[in-house]
Amino acid sequence: MLQCFPKKRLFHAVRNLNYVSRNQVPNNTTNFYSTRRELDAAYKPSVVEANNTGVGSVAPNDTSKPKFSLLLPPPNVTGELHLGHALTGSIQDVIVRRKQKQGLDMLWIPGMDHAGIATQVVVEKKLLKERKLSRHDIGRDRFLDEIWAWKESKSKSIKGDLCRLGSRMDWSREYFTMDEQQSKAVKEAFVRLFEADLIYRDQSLVNWSCTLESAISDIEVDSIEINGPTAIEVPGYRKKVVFGEMVDIAYKVQGLEEEIVISTTRPETLLGDVAVAVNPADGRYSHMRNRRTMLWHPIRGEEIPLIFDESVDPEFGTGAVKITPAHDRYDYDIARKHQLPLIEVINSKGMIRENLGSFSELPRYEARLKMMEVLAKQSLLREIKPHSMILPICSRSKDVIEFLLRPQWFIRCREMACRAMESVECGQLQIIPNSFEKEWFRWLENCHDWCISRQLWWGHQIPAYEVKSAGNACWVAARSLEEAQHLARERYGFKDFQVAQDTDVLDTWFSSSLLPFSSLGWPEDSKDFKRFYPLDIMETGHDIMFFWVARMVMLGQQLTGQLPFKKILLHGIICDEYGRKMSKSLGNVIKPEHVINGITLEQLNKEIEALHQQGTLSASEMKKSLSGQKKMFPNGIPECGTDALRFTLCSSNVKNYFINFNIQECLTNKLFFNKIWQATRYTLGCVKRFNPTETQFTKECLSEMDRWILSRLGNTITVFDKSLETYNFHLAAAAWKTFFYSNFCDVYLETTKVHMTPEHASTAANHCRVLQYCLSLGLYHLEVFTPYLVAELRPHLPPVDLRFNPTDWIDSKLESEFDQLLEICQNIRQAKSESNPPIARKHNPVVHLLSKSDQLTELLQRNTANIQQLTLCNRVILHRTEEEFGKVPFTTKSTASHVCTFGVFTNLQPSVKRDTSNSGKKLSKLQTEMDKLLKTVNNEGYKKSASEDVQKKHLERIKQIRSQIEEMQNIVM
């Protein structure tokens, strides 16, 4: 084992290390290696993952350690995991593994969400497609049985996918948002909020899906931008419905030979108009202001008033707007202000309500067409013109949203929102990245009361009971029917009464907002609650910051008196490689299992066809998706493995608003792991040949290259640690990719081949120890990203003495020197490859170097063998004078820096003309860099703002480039 560290050992036979429990390393190193199964010739993800299924689940077990707890945002039980789930799981698993290595007692809580609307819609479609039945046909109880069966099937699949990702969750604490414990917490929370007068019942405008016959939340509304007339499929209509048209309609003024023209995109709601509004400053209507001006409603045959309100935009259309308060939020506020009546036109099923003449019982968009005909016959239809608009669509049913007045349950959010803002302002709650703080404050400052009731069958039935007695009625919140009856008698003094529970269910976000504490046993004062609440971090996508994160904070503070977590880490939305959101209509949806296992285009198509057969996708959606898949994945998706998926997801800056996922990058990372695999096989082969012992030796016995790679290792770990501490996972991943690819495999490992011979046995043994140490410690840290790869490779390597600080080996001066050396080697390789014809080993290439620096000359002299190996040349010759250097008839010649010129001599025939085109390219590149620098330093702002050190560096670089340009000009000439 390597002993060159002063009074320290690189490797230590430590038993029972938590990161490699099956690595029981005996003192006899030779025996240790002989007991290990030989590594396969290449890295095969499927084999590695099958061999190491135990990399996941872990439970807290040491109360003497500081705790760290977090919660997995629960996947919906609507289907399989998508890449967004994989991103969340990968990020959180990195955090968990990192904290474990730091010695913390970890708790990562898994669970799943019942997803009220989403799950009900999926099961309804399945039922209709398979059995031609609706939920109403089979009744509530049987329909709920169907959903529970769906849940059982899908939850097993989701759990399997999460385990396949290597997630270290404590599955003994798994929850489901409708299990007994969660149901108890939901009832308790509702009752407490009701008793605190924070929950109330009111009739108000809500987002309404006529297909679902339910209110839905803002997050379930997709805003579709329409530019001009556009035909769109609407559930329940045989023909597409045209949107994107503005209709001008005339209202006759009573008592005057005048008319007022209003503009609307929804002519069918004319039935519910109760007024027309104009701005009091609009001169076109000033003569009507001081008289009670009435307009004639052409359909209902009654008068409606002209009102004046400053909120009306006189620049929009004719400056006159129709007021339909029962179906528009703006109109609703105007009506309340002016004490106007409310006339509901559209019912919960999207039909025109009764008592509206020939329009009654018509589907709303059929009523629209009829309204246009009626208005045209009355000569009141003035114009139909193209119009840009935003159309609200229910993301679940794809129906067009209506705004309907319905009695609903609401939570008062004003005070809780203020406390949530204060927690961020005073620094108690940290949002990462802090750029989201502005959105946090913007949303909470304008936070509306939260509509928490849904007209569904699947979900937590609202624990509110209507009590009726002798013509009186009131609502009570109770944990059970018995408690509601008790309240009716004791609190309200009722004797003869009827009690009925509200049939509505709670918004899914209500139960999920309790999870930071309900998943730990609240409302009971459990051991878990005492130990692990509040959570240390909440990591999730920024798209649900308000619908979930803000509400967790508000209800956590209200119900527990504490913040539910200390930090909020928000990640971006996964998009395809072109920056498009993933959707079935684009055919660009990628599942984690597609990346892990690989999948053919034919198999992808079959999945889409199965969704259609199941009823999830319509025929038109299936057609679009199949077309999109053919464009995106003409050759299918190659097998990449779990580690490559995790590493690729974490290689993006997850703090960005959007994260583009590229399959090719994932495949590249799989090849990167094969590089590490082959490096390990090479190392094991060398160890077997040279059997490095525990011989004591000093730091000085190592070569410069040995010390350089150890310095690079120390710097890599420093960057890695700092990056993970600030949640910059992409920088941490990039640090190891640079180390293993560019430093370890492409440079250090290649140079060790020079001495892996019997005559250099001592040096070879040193190299073996360094190779082992770099791999062992590197894999120890890389494990947070790639648990399967590390679980397979680390048993073949000695464990690391974690008491040793690798940063002790950092040598900035040595690294700076080797940067020069490696840049020279890179330039030589590039010149060889770009030469015409490319220079190969068979051409017997000999590198000639001319150095203008004594320091560089010494460095080159000490490393001629390394240069020869890294440039794939047969010999390296150093020249001391330009005259001597200039006599060689080089095949290619160039500069490596301002102090080094090189040439490559080969056995190519003299008739082959030396190619100087590459030198010309390099000259052009240098000139471009010079021009940019000169432009920068000559800028007035630069001269005032740039520091003296920066200006000196830029001037020195200009001097260096100028020297290189002069040299290159001589070469080209």
Side-chain angles (χ1 to χ4, degrees):
M1 296 188 179
L2 188 54
Q3 299 295 323
C4 54
F5 304 98
K7 300 181 181 180
K8 290 184 179 180
R9 298 173 63 172
L10 274 179
F11 300 124
H12 184 65
V14 181
R15 296 183 182 272
N16 300 320
L17 290 176
N18 61 3
Y19 58 87
V20 57
S21 58
R22 61 194 183 103
N23 270 16
Q24 301 302 316
V25 186
N27 291 329
N28 189 309
T29 309
T30 305
N31 291 338
F32 165 71
Y33 290 111
S34 66
T35 63
R36 296 300 168 190
R37 177 178 61 85
E38 284 193 13
L39 291 176
D40 292 337
Y43 167 61
K44 299 173 184 176
S46 58
V47 175
V48 169
E49 290 167 28
N51 289 342
N52 298 279
T53 55
V55 300
S57 183
V58 69
N61 58 10
D62 192 344
T63 56
S64 66
K65 295 179 180 179
K67 70 90 180 176
F68 192 95
S69 54
L70 72 165
L71 173 91
L72 179 76
N76 294 344
V77 287
T78 49
E80 299 84 3
L81 291 189
H82 54 63
L83 280 183
H85 296 124
L87 174 65
T88 301
S90 298
I91 292 171
Q92 292 197 0
D93 196 53
V94 169
I95 294 172
V96 167
R97 291 174 185 273
R98 166 77 170 161
K99 294 300 180 182
Q100 282 183 308
K101 290 179 186 296
Q102 292 176 331
L104 277 68
D105 193 32
M106 285 298 313
L107 174 60
W108 185 12
I109 311 167
M112 292 171 218
D113 197 293
H114 65 279
I117 292 177
T119 305
Q120 179 163 313
V121 168
V122 169
V123 177
E124 277 194 88
K125 287 183 177 180
K126 181 175 181 288
L127 193 63
L128 186 63
K129 189 76 175 180
E130 293 178 355
R131 289 186 250 168
K132 309 299 181 188
L133 295 172
S134 72
R135 60 185 166 110
H136 300 285
D137 292 330
I138 65 174
R140 186 165 186 156
D141 290 342
R142 283 183 58 197
F143 181 70
L144 291 179
D145 289 341
E146 292 285 339
I147 295 185
W148 278 107
W150 169 277
K151 179 265 173 187
E152 290 303 315
S153 170
K154 290 301 177 182
S155 61
K156 289 178 183 177
S157 172
I158 291 170
K159 181 176 179 179
D161 288 343
L162 288 171
C163 291
R164 180 78 185 272
L165 285 172
S167 306
R168 290 202 136 178
M169 301 168 195
D170 181 3
W171 288 101
S172 69
R173 288 175 170 83
E174 180 187 2
Y175 65 85
F176 178 58
T177 52
M178 280 186 63
D179 62 28
E180 186 177 346
Q181 162 58 28
Q182 299 306 311
S183 180
K184 182 179 180 180
V186 165
K187 291 174 183 176
E188 185 68 28
F190 188 94
V191 171
R192 290 192 189 185
L193 293 170
F194 184 89
E195 295 294 332
D197 195 31
L198 290 174
I199 285 184
Y200 66 95
R201 185 174 174 84
D202 190 21
Q203 179 152 304
S204 182
L205 278 177
V206 293
N207 299 321
W208 188 268
S209 169
C210 298
T211 299
L212 298 173
E213 293 187 55
S214 174
I216 63 174
S217 67
D218 290 342
I219 197 173
E220 286 149 344
V221 178
D222 293 334
S223 297
I224 308 299
E225 187 175 347
I226 292 177
N227 297 307
T230 306
I232 293 178
E233 287 185 4
V234 178
Y237 292 84
R238 296 182 196 174
K239 295 182 180 179
K240 292 183 177 181
V241 179
V242 176
F243 296 90
E245 291 182 332
M246 182 70 79
V247 181
D248 288 351
I249 301 168
Y251 267 106
K252 296 294 184 180
V253 180
Q254 292 287 75
L256 294 175
E257 293 296 322
E258 294 187 38
E259 64 182 26
I260 293 180
V261 177
I262 58 94
S263 298
T264 181
T265 59
R266 306 183 65 206
E268 67 277 12
T269 62
L270 192 79
L271 293 163
D273 285 1
V274 296
V276 171
V278 296
N279 193 296
D282 193 333
R284 290 171 290 183
Y285 308 104
S286 59
H287 64 291
M288 301 181 189
R289 186 175 181 186
N290 296 323
R291 61 190 297 270
R292 187 170 179 271
T293 303
M294 303 298 288
L295 310 176
W296 184 252
H297 195 290
I299 308 300
R300 296 204 308 268
E302 61 187 32
E303 292 182 336
I304 61 172
L306 176 69
I307 62 174
F308 294 82
D309 195 284
E310 293 178 350
S311 66
V312 178
D313 181 5
E315 301 299 322
F316 179 75
T318 62
V321 295
K322 64 195 286 292
I323 305 301
T324 317
H327 298 286
D328 185 276
R329 286 175 176 169
Y330 168 79
D331 293 0
Y332 181 74
D333 292 337
I334 290 281
R336 294 182 69 174
K337 179 179 177 182
H338 293 269
Q339 298 182 329
L340 298 170
L342 304 179
I343 299 178
E344 294 185 61
V345 174
I346 300 169
N347 67 17
S348 61
K349 295 183 178 181
M351 312 287 282
I352 302 301
R353 296 174 68 89
E354 297 177 356
N355 303 319
L356 287 171
S358 61
F359 292 93
S360 296
E361 303 301 324
L362 282 178
R364 53 188 163 154
Y365 296 122
E366 289 183 21
R368 172 182 293 187
L369 296 175
K370 182 169 183 176
M371 178 64 70
M372 304 275 274
E373 293 174 2
V374 170
L375 292 172
K377 287 178 181 178
Q378 295 185 27
S379 301
L380 297 175
L381 188 61
R382 293 290 173 266
E383 186 179 3
I384 302 174
K385 51 196 174 187
H387 179 68
S388 296
M389 62 181 294
I390 302 295
L391 190 67
I393 300 288
C394 173
S395 63
R396 307 301 182 185
S397 66
K398 306 305 177 187
D399 200 357
V400 179
I401 294 298
E402 286 293 341
F403 297 106
L404 299 187
L405 282 168
R406 288 291 178 274
Q408 303 285 324
W409 291 98
F410 293 87
I411 295 182
R412 304 183 202 277
C413 294
R414 184 70 258 148
E415 291 183 11
M416 291 191 291
C418 287
R419 287 200 295 270
M421 287 190 287
E422 288 169 5
S423 65
V424 173
E425 286 173 343
C426 70
Q428 289 181 317
L429 180 62
Q430 183 184 2
I431 300 177
I432 306 167
N434 60 12
S435 57
F436 283 104
E437 286 185 9
K438 289 182 180 179
E439 289 190 46
W440 179 265
F441 292 122
R442 177 185 58 78
W443 189 79
L444 288 174
E445 284 169 357
N446 300 288
C447 184
H448 300 292
D449 287 356
W450 174 14
C451 175
I452 57 172
S453 47
R454 299 290 181 266
Q455 292 64 48
L456 302 171
W457 289 358
W458 174 241
H460 291 280
Q461 191 171 347
I462 294 177
Y465 298 80
E466 188 176 25
V467 181
K468 293 181 180 180
S469 176
N472 297 316
C474 67
W475 286 91
V476 298
R479 299 164 186 85
S480 65
L481 175 61
E482 292 73 22
E483 184 179 349
Q485 292 170 335
H486 176 77
L487 287 172
R489 284 190 293 265
E490 300 299 322
R491 182 175 296 180
Y492 297 103
F494 295 148
K495 294 181 179 179
D496 295 322
F497 56 86
Q498 297 83 42
V499 177
Q501 186 174 0
D502 193 334
T503 56
D504 287 354
V505 300
L506 285 164
D507 178 13
T508 303
W509 296 106
F510 183 86
S511 53
S512 61
S513 66
L514 309 177
L515 286 174
F517 41 98
S518 65
S519 64
L520 293 170
W522 185 93
E524 301 299 329
D525 194 19
S526 66
K527 289 182 180 179
D528 277 354
F529 183 78
K530 291 177 181 177
R531 168 73 169 151
F532 294 107
Y533 188 80
L535 304 177
D536 290 272
I537 193 169
M538 173 50 63
E539 192 284 326
T540 189
H542 68 72
D543 53 325
I544 55 173
M545 178 166 67
F546 309 123
F547 304 104
W548 190 40
V549 180
R551 286 166 177 169
M552 282 190 286
V553 171
M554 289 194 289
L555 292 189
Q557 289 180 304
Q558 178 65 33
L559 295 171
T560 71
Q562 302 181 69
L563 283 167
F565 30 76
K566 303 167 187 176
K567 293 181 180 179
I568 302 168
L569 175 61
L570 300 170
H571 66 244
I573 299 170
I574 292 280
C575 299
D576 68 15
E577 60 188 283
Y578 303 108
R580 303 175 303 174
K581 288 186 181 181
M582 292 190 177
S583 70
K584 292 183 178 69
S585 62
L586 291 174
N588 62 350
V589 173
I590 303 172
K591 297 178 186 176
E593 64 182 67
H594 293 163
V595 182
I596 294 170
N597 302 323
I599 189 169
T600 65
L601 177 60
E602 182 182 8
Q603 290 170 324
L604 284 169
N605 291 167
K606 286 181 179 179
E607 285 191 358
I608 294 299
E609 290 163 358
L611 289 175
H612 172 60
Q613 292 298 322
Q614 180 181 293
T616 303
L617 286 181
S618 67
S620 62
E621 287 174 324
M622 178 183 70
K623 185 178 179 181
K624 289 179 182 177
S625 190
L626 292 174
S627 175
Q629 284 183 339
K630 189 174 182 180
K631 291 178 182 177
M632 283 291 296
F633 316 113
N635 301 311
I637 297 173
E639 177 201 13
C640 297
T642 299
D643 285 338
L645 172 62
R646 289 169 53 114
F647 194 79
T648 304
L649 290 169
C650 292
S651 293
S652 296
N653 185 350
V654 301
K655 298 177 186 176
N656 286 342
Y657 212 80
F658 296 103
I659 300 167
N660 294 358
F661 182 81
N662 191 329
I663 286 292
Q664 189 56 47
E665 184 183 349
C666 210
L667 184 59
T668 299
N669 285 327
K670 174 189 171 184
L671 299 177
F672 165 52
F673 300 149
N674 186 58
K675 193 90 168 177
I676 297 174
W677 185 277
Q678 299 304 336
T680 305
R681 291 183 71 233
Y682 169 79
T683 299
L684 295 178
C686 293
V687 167
K688 189 174 182 180
R689 288 170 59 201
F690 295 98
N691 191 23
T693 64
E694 297 187 26
T695 306
Q696 297 283 341
F697 57 92
T698 64
K699 182 177 181 178
E700 285 68 30
C701 73
L702 293 180
S703 69
E704 278 188 309
M705 191 60 79
D706 291 331
R707 288 186 285 113
W708 170 78
I709 194 62
L710 291 172
S711 178
R712 288 300 309 126
L713 178 64
N715 266 320
T716 299
I717 291 172
T718 299
V719 172
F720 172 79
D721 286 339
K722 288 180 179 178
S723 299
L724 287 191
E725 202 64 35
T726 53
Y727 305 105
N728 289 309
F729 307 98
H730 62 301
L731 299 181
W736 284 116
K737 199 165 186 179
T738 297
F739 175 79
F740 276 119
Y741 241 142
S742 304
N743 304 149
F744 186 74
C745 292
D746 288 352
V747 177
Y748 178 72
L749 185 146
E750 288 299 319
T751 61
T752 63
K753 294 176 181 179
V754 175
H755 300 111
M756 290 298 178
T757 58
E759 56 268 29
H760 298 99
S762 176
T763 303
N766 286 345
H767 286 336
C768 287
R769 295 172 189 131
V770 174
L771 284 166
Q772 285 178 309
Y773 181 67
C774 289
L775 280 169
S776 192
L777 189 57
L779 288 171
Y780 170 75
H781 290 287
L782 189 65
E783 183 257 353
V784 300
F785 295 119
T786 59
Y788 288 104
L789 177 73
V790 174
E792 184 74 13
L793 295 181
R794 277 202 45 83
H796 295 271
L797 299 163
V800 181
D801 186 347
L802 298 178
R803 297 169 298 177
F804 166 69
N805 184 2
T807 60
D808 291 346
W809 278 97
I810 293 177
D811 187 335
S812 301
K813 182 175 180 294
L814 178 63
E815 287 199 41
S816 178
E817 289 179 346
F818 267 66
D819 284 346
Q820 284 182 282
L821 182 71
L822 296 177
E823 185 180 3
I824 291 170
C825 293
Q826 182 182 359
N827 275 273
I828 294 170
R829 288 197 304 271
Q830 184 175 352
K832 285 175 59 189
S833 65
E834 293 179 351
S835 180
N836 188 14
I839 298 173
R841 204 70 181 255
K842 65 182 180 180
H843 298 137
N844 194 26
V846 177
V847 173
H848 295 253
L849 296 168
L850 175 64
S851 168
K852 301 177 183 178
S853 161
D854 292 340
Q855 183 181 4
L856 177 61
T857 300
E858 291 179 11
L859 178 68
L860 296 175
Q861 285 175 334
R862 296 195 305 269
N863 287 278
T864 53
N866 290 331
I867 296 170
Q868 180 175 325
Q869 181 70 13
L870 293 175
T871 60
L872 298 178
C873 290
N874 293 348
R875 190 181 171 197
V876 176
I877 299 174
L878 299 181
H879 293 271
R880 297 187 176 278
T881 65
E882 290 190 23
E883 181 181 1
E884 183 183 278
F885 181 78
K887 292 179 181 178
V888 183
F890 297 119
T891 301
T892 186
K893 180 181 177 185
S894 186
T895 61
S897 69
H898 65 290
V899 291
C900 181
T901 304
F902 70 87
V904 180
F905 175 82
T906 68
N907 61 10
L908 288 169
Q909 296 299 319
S911 59
V912 178
K913 184 179 179 181
R914 183 167 64 88
D915 181 19
T916 61
S917 61
N918 292 317
S919 298
K921 291 177 185 177
K922 185 162 188 175
L923 179 60
S924 176
K925 187 177 179 180
L926 287 168
Q927 190 61 59
T928 300
E929 185 181 354
M930 171 71 86
D931 293 342
K932 286 182 179 179
L933 276 173
L934 290 174
K935 186 177 180 180
T936 298
V937 300
N938 290 329
N939 184 281
E940 287 298 323
Y942 168 85
K943 294 176 181 178
K944 294 177 181 178
S945 61
S947 67
E948 186 176 343
D949 285 344
V950 169
Q951 292 191 40
K952 282 183 179 179
K953 286 179 182 177
H954 282 164
L955 291 175
E956 179 62 27
R957 181 57 184 157
I958 289 172
K959 183 179 177 182
Q960 293 173 0
I961 294 174
R962 186 171 285 126
S963 173
Q964 244 185 303
I965 287 175
E966 291 174 359
E967 185 67 34
M968 289 301 301
Q969 286 174 335
N970 292 332
I971 291 173
V972 172
M973 291 175 61

